[in-house]
Amino acid sequence: MIDIRSLVLVVNCGSSSVKFGVFAGTGREPLLSALAENLGQPESRLVVKEKGEKTEISLDGGSHDVALQKLLGILDQKGWLSSVVAVGHRMVHGGERFTASTLVTDEILREMDALSNLAPLHNPANILGVRTAMAALPNVPHAAVFDTAFHTTMPQAAFTYAVPQDCYRNLGVRRYGFHGTSHRFVAAEAIELLGLDPNDHGLVIAHLGNGASATAVLNGKSVDTSMGFTPLEGLVMGTRSGDIDPGALFHIAREDGLTIDELDTLLNRKSGLLGLSGLSNDCRTLENAEKEGHEGAKLALDVFVHRLARYIGGLATSLDRLDAVIFTGGIGENSATMRQRTIDRLAVLGLKLDAETNGQMFGGRCGVITSKDSKAAAAVIATNEEWMIAHDTLEAVATSTAA
Amino acid sequence: MIDIRSLVLVVNCGSSSVKFGVFAGTGREPLLSALAENLGQPESRLVVKEKGEKTEISLDGGSHDVALQKLLGILDQKGWLSSVVAVGHRMVHGGERFTASTLVTDEILREMDALSNLAPLHNPANILGVRTAMAALPNVPHAAVFDTAFHTTMPQAAFTYAVPQDCYRNLGVRRYGFHGTSHRFVAAEAIELLGLDPNDHGLVIAHLGNGASATAVLNGKSVDTSMGFTPLEGLVMGTRSGDIDPGALFHIAREDGLTIDELDTLLNRKSGLLGLSGLSNDCRTLENAEKEGHEGAKLALDVFVHRLARYIGGLATSLDRLDAVIFTGGIGENSATMRQRTIDRLAVLGLKLDAETNGQMFGGRCGVITSKDSKAAAAVIATNEEWMIAHDTLEAVATSTAA
Ligand SMILES: Nc1ncnc2c1ncn2[C@@H]1O[C@H](COP(=O)(O)OP(=O)(O)O)[C@@H](O)[C@H]1O
Ligand SMILES: Nc1ncnc2c1ncn2[C@@H]1O[C@H](COP(=O)(O)OP(=O)(O)O)[C@@H](O)[C@H]1O
């Protein structure tokens, strides 16, 4: 048990933004959180949230280091800075090298650098965050928590693409999977909620946010997942296409004369719910528009549900038995409609919705949403990646201190 | 009932090859079949097969028209030519326009031409076959039977990719599905074999040959399928990759400096079982190599099975109830091992193999391969696309004569 005198700072560093969270003890909500945006641009700013109150601070065009210094200044004013005992960093890609969270050393930093070619958009920014924070807080341990680590238990048949295996050996092309910290947290929560045997269970977890992925969890281990070499594969997402016939890409590229970079932008930024609806990447907006008769919104939500149910059925074949389907992420935690439409397509797996309890789960409420006679359960569980990072960080520190 | 005095010639025309079949009456085996290969090259030849005997005839560098004239000469010698009452043509792509087999007219030919941009490798060759045969046999009706037609019943949510819908409206980018003639034939056979209600059943059919696809059939209609805009998407095939993260393609293209055409060749011709094993695209060869300890062969077969089971589970979510999984095509009809490995992964759908009957199904034998207490059945059914084309052709003729 940790009290307010030992705080963990959680850092999630992107190319032009950083998210911070300050966690104390076993408390699952951050004492304080902050989001730095538009970094390196004139309008850069830090929005700090504490006990529901928001304060906005200009960063005067400053970048990541300025944002971190400003945040540390705030912690100092509160008398918290000296209580920060560790910093936990979210890393998108740990490749095959990182199978668990780890304390950062110079050697580890070099290894993380070497993985940057696998995630050129994400890892360099993550690493910048680590280096900046290590410079500012050199006397506390820093830990790296990887989005991919939970999926390193996938069997080879699940992670291998049917391309010449030189692509794997020389270019690292395989399924890695992402959202691992969320799937791991939710899997552990599901065992508690449903009273499952930690060594004998089968789950499919659907993390449905702006990014979306589903994972088959067998006895606590990821055995298959919908995201692939990058977070583009799989489900329909806010602006990402998920699966598409490669032959369709070749056709689009030839007919419209697109380069690889333009195709990349098309699929990562202009597709998904946004591309389908022609309206918005936001599920809630689309649900409202659908009610008012917007056809694009209806199509977007229908395709989202079709693909999601197809994946849940597909991933379940990596289990001996399906105990439960778990919904998490912004859409999974809040949209009773999308859960209902998905479960209505899971009759072959024996799922039967309880419409009443389903309607009650939103805004962080967790529980079972299937009827008593449903062959497998479905449940809503609120994810908490940031707390999981704080937790892993303390565990990595404890392990290294013990050794 | 048709006797030997009314024959149907079935033509399947590729860019450098043509397959012929001559069908009589309700007989499901062709009286005669022939394969013309290497057309337009010095070594072009026609191999004719009748009652198990093969005869090889040089075409002296001739092309499609020479092959057809040679075949018609053989039919003439046998006194069969005047009995040919119709010609049936296999067409790969019928787009959204062709929802059923149809008699060919000039107007229909123009419409088929207009679809060639959707299948630039296949349709022009198919159309060439139609024009050549119409010139040689101008006095009999010609029918076109489309690989895509069976799948035109798919709901919009199943055929829509999550890309900007301009790609659909302007470029025709959607899931079409292929192997439809085989899936349709096998679905009808399955209803007979299993005694199902034609208006109330749910099947997943796995057509596993050099090309491979799986289809969900609800009450006689295709409701979802694994192949997409082109026959590249979906299952692992002989030389085709099936599904892959588009992000992995972008990575390969950038790292190896590949063009779109080179990527296309990589995924269509160098991937699948061949790319995975580094040995062969042929399932039987790989099964033998695996027994002798070849690791690439084992990986190829494992990935094939993993993907296939994942698709069967995924497609089943488009059904209210799964009555049976049907195996067909060269691998599906002959490989007890691959069927067993697949069914072993379908426990969540309630499938239980009967190893003994499974071992007995090969070389055209059809039957149920699951145990009495299996919740859903699995069965082997031999496909017969060519006979189906002959059948459709006679039906199209009968319908037009009646009208
Ligand atoms: N009540 C709601 N009904 C439907 N969708 C919701 C609701 N609340 C949030 N969402 C959706 O959740 C998504 C954002 O999920 P979130 O997990 O916050 O995203 P991120 O992946 O960025 O963390 C958006 O599409 C949003 O519309
Ligand atoms: N006894 C067998 N065991 C395993 N695989 C077999 C067997 N017989 C045929 N096959 C496989 O079937 C595939 C060819 O299937 P087929 O339906 O004839 O192909 P196509 O799609 O070209 O019509 C090959 O991979 C071949 O190895």
Side-chain angles (χ1 to χ4, degrees):
Chain A
M1 194 80 77
I2 303 115
D3 63 25
I4 197 98
R5 280 162 300 169
S6 53
L7 304 176
V8 180
L9 173 62
V10 172
V11 180
N12 181 350
C13 187
S15 57
S16 65
S17 69
V18 193
K19 280 188 206 151
F20 300 102
V22 179
F23 288 84
T26 49
R28 293 203 166 180
E29 292 309 313
L31 296 181
L32 177 151
S33 64
L35 173 64
E37 289 176 303
N38 301 317
L39 293 175
Q41 290 169 43
E43 64 276 25
S44 68
R45 57 179 199 160
L46 182 73
V47 180
V48 181
K49 208 167 135 186
E50 198 187 350
K51 294 183 193 137
E53 298 243 324
K54 279 190 186 181
T55 327
E56 198 179 310
I57 300 160
S58 167
L59 294 174
D60 299 320
S63 197
H64 301 75
D65 49 340
V66 177
L68 179 64
Q69 287 304 346
K70 197 69 98 183
L71 181 85
L72 295 182
I74 294 168
L75 299 188
D76 199 17
Q77 274 167 28
K78 296 182 164 292
W80 289 2
L81 190 56
S82 56
S83 302
V84 172
V85 295
V87 183
H89 296 271
R90 182 196 181 211
M91 293 291 303
V92 169
H93 216 310
E96 294 186 327
R97 164 64 184 86
F98 293 105
T99 59
S101 303
T102 181
L103 287 188
V104 182
T105 61
D106 285 347
E107 174 58 25
I108 294 282
L109 266 175
R110 271 191 296 277
E111 297 190 69
M112 294 191 325
D113 268 330
L115 290 169
S116 284
N117 72 321
L118 293 179
L121 286 181
H122 297 288
N123 274 29
N126 297 159
I127 293 170
L128 172 69
V130 177
R131 290 191 196 274
T132 308
M134 286 178 88
L137 294 166
N139 298 319
V140 301
H142 291 247
V145 178
F146 301 89
D147 258 18
T148 48
F150 183 55
H151 300 297
T152 54
T153 49
M154 278 191 288
Q156 194 177 8
F159 75 64
T160 302
Y161 292 117
V163 290
Q165 287 302 285
D166 281 355
C167 294
Y168 172 49
R169 285 185 292 263
N170 303 338
L171 305 177
V173 170
R174 52 160 283 182
R175 180 184 309 285
Y176 292 99
F178 298 89
H179 283 156
T181 310
S182 173
H183 287 300
R184 179 161 53 100
F185 173 81
V186 171
E189 292 287 297
I191 288 171
E192 288 282 308
L193 177 74
L194 302 168
L196 299 173
D197 180 339
N199 299 310
D200 180 21
H201 61 266
L203 304 171
V204 176
I205 298 170
H207 175 114
L208 312 172
N210 281 309
S213 73
T215 295
V217 177
L218 177 67
N219 308 335
K221 294 199 163 80
S222 167
V223 285
D224 198 1
T225 192
S226 62
M227 282 180 168
F229 177 72
T230 73
L232 176 54
E233 193 178 359
L235 303 177
V236 176
M237 312 186 210
T239 64
R240 287 180 222 148
S241 64
D243 295 340
I244 183 168
D245 183 352
L249 295 189
F250 303 153
H251 183 69
I252 295 170
R254 284 177 186 133
E255 294 283 316
D256 282 354
L258 299 191
T259 62
I260 293 288
D261 286 349
E262 286 164 340
L263 271 185
D264 191 334
T265 304
L266 181 76
L267 294 197
N268 271 300
R269 298 179 182 269
K270 300 181 186 168
S271 292
L273 295 175
L274 176 65
L276 281 168
S277 67
L279 181 70
S280 169
N281 66 323
D282 187 277
C283 182
R284 197 164 10 179
T285 306
L286 295 179
E287 286 187 24
N288 291 332
E290 182 186 39
K291 276 186 212 127
E292 285 159 20
H294 191 289
E295 283 187 24
K298 176 173 173 10
L299 178 64
L301 298 177
D302 283 347
V303 176
F304 182 98
V305 166
H306 181 274
R307 181 89 53 89
L308 174 57
R310 204 192 207 220
Y311 257 101
I312 292 171
L315 292 169
T317 61
S318 281
L319 307 174
D320 309 321
R321 183 187 74 234
L322 177 68
D323 290 312
V325 175
I326 314 291
F327 292 87
T328 191
I331 300 170
E333 292 169 30
N334 296 299
S335 175
T337 322
M338 296 302 276
R339 293 191 302 251
Q340 177 236 306
R341 285 156 84 159
T342 306
I343 291 174
D344 283 352
R345 292 187 64 82
L346 298 177
V348 282
L349 292 173
L351 268 77
K352 277 193 209 166
L353 189 75
D354 180 320
E356 202 186 315
T357 54
N358 183 46
Q360 289 158 3
M361 302 298 164
F362 55 86
R365 252 170 284 166
C366 303
V368 172
I369 57 173
T370 35
S371 62
K372 284 259 156 63
D373 63 337
S374 186
K375 227 196 93 216
V380 176
I381 290 178
T383 193
N384 196 339
E385 296 174 78
E386 301 214 317
W387 174 79
M388 195 80 220
I389 295 173
H391 167 272
D392 274 22
T393 300
L394 287 178
E395 203 167 73
V397 171
T399 312
S400 85
T401 318
Chain B
M1 190 83 75
I2 303 115
D3 64 23
I4 197 97
R5 280 163 302 170
S6 55
L7 304 176
V8 180
L9 174 62
V10 172
V11 180
N12 181 349
C13 189
S15 58
S16 66
S17 69
V18 193
K19 280 188 207 154
F20 300 102
V22 179
F23 288 84
T26 48
R28 293 206 166 178
E29 291 311 310
L31 295 179
L32 177 150
S33 64
L35 174 64
E37 289 177 304
N38 300 316
L39 293 174
Q41 289 169 45
E43 63 278 24
S44 68
R45 59 181 196 155
L46 182 73
V47 180
V48 181
K49 210 166 133 187
E50 197 187 352
K51 293 182 194 138
E53 298 242 325
K54 280 191 186 179
T55 327
E56 197 178 312
I57 301 158
S58 167
L59 295 174
D60 299 321
S63 198
H64 300 76
D65 50 340
V66 177
L68 180 63
Q69 287 303 346
K70 197 68 99 184
L71 181 86
L72 296 181
I74 293 168
L75 299 188
D76 200 17
Q77 274 168 29
K78 294 181 166 294
W80 290 1
L81 191 56
S82 56
S83 305
V84 172
V85 295
V87 184
H89 296 270
R90 181 195 182 214
M91 293 292 302
V92 168
H93 216 310
E96 293 186 328
R97 164 65 184 86
F98 294 105
T99 59
S101 302
T102 181
L103 288 187
V104 182
T105 61
D106 284 347
E107 173 59 24
I108 295 282
L109 265 175
R110 271 192 296 276
E111 297 190 70
M112 294 192 321
D113 267 331
L115 291 168
S116 284
N117 72 322
L118 293 179
L121 286 181
H122 297 289
N123 274 29
N126 297 159
I127 293 170
L128 173 69
V130 177
R131 291 193 195 274
T132 308
M134 286 178 87
L137 295 167
N139 298 320
V140 301
H142 291 247
V145 178
F146 300 90
D147 259 18
T148 47
F150 184 55
H151 300 298
T152 53
T153 49
M154 278 191 289
Q156 194 178 10
F159 75 63
T160 303
Y161 292 116
V163 290
Q165 288 301 286
D166 282 354
C167 295
Y168 171 50
R169 286 185 291 262
N170 303 339
L171 305 178
V173 170
R174 52 159 282 181
R175 181 184 308 286
Y176 292 99
F178 299 88
H179 283 156
T181 311
S182 173
H183 287 299
R184 179 161 53 100
F185 173 81
V186 170
E189 292 287 296
I191 288 170
E192 288 282 309
L193 177 74
L194 302 169
L196 299 173
D197 181 341
N199 300 311
D200 180 20
H201 61 266
L203 303 171
V204 176
I205 299 172
H207 175 114
L208 312 172
N210 280 308
S213 74
T215 296
V217 177
L218 178 67
N219 309 336
K221 295 198 163 82
S222 169
V223 286
D224 197 3
T225 192
S226 62
M227 282 178 168
F229 176 73
T230 74
L232 176 55
E233 193 178 359
L235 303 177
V236 176
M237 312 187 209
T239 65
R240 286 180 225 147
S241 63
D243 295 340
I244 183 168
D245 183 352
L249 296 188
F250 304 151
H251 184 70
I252 294 171
R254 286 176 186 133
E255 293 284 316
D256 283 354
L258 300 190
T259 63
I260 294 288
D261 286 349
E262 287 164 339
L263 271 185
D264 190 334
T265 304
L266 181 77
L267 293 198
N268 270 300
R269 298 179 181 269
K270 299 181 186 167
S271 291
L273 295 175
L274 176 66
L276 280 168
S277 66
L279 182 68
S280 169
N281 66 321
D282 188 277
C283 182
R284 196 163 12 180
T285 306
L286 295 179
E287 286 188 23
N288 291 330
E290 182 186 40
K291 278 186 209 124
E292 284 159 21
H294 191 289
E295 283 188 24
K298 177 174 174 6
L299 178 64
L301 299 177
D302 283 347
V303 176
F304 182 99
V305 166
H306 181 274
R307 181 91 53 90
L308 174 57
R310 205 191 205 222
Y311 258 102
I312 293 171
L315 292 169
T317 60
S318 281
L319 308 174
D320 308 321
R321 180 186 76 232
L322 178 68
D323 291 311
V325 175
I326 314 290
F327 292 88
T328 192
I331 299 169
E333 293 169 30
N334 295 297
S335 175
T337 321
M338 295 301 275
R339 293 191 303 251
Q340 176 235 304
R341 283 156 84 159
T342 306
I343 292 174
D344 283 353
R345 291 187 65 83
L346 298 177
V348 281
L349 293 173
L351 269 77
K352 275 192 208 167
L353 189 75
D354 180 321
E356 202 185 315
T357 55
N358 183 44
Q360 288 158 5
M361 302 299 164
F362 54 86
R365 252 171 284 169
C366 303
V368 173
I369 57 173
T370 35
S371 62
K372 285 259 158 61
D373 63 336
S374 186
K375 225 194 93 214
V380 176
I381 290 178
T383 193
N384 196 340
E385 296 174 77
E386 300 215 320
W387 174 78
M388 194 80 221
I389 294 173
H391 167 272
D392 274 22
T393 300
L394 287 178
E395 205 168 73
V397 171
T399 312
S400 84
T401 317

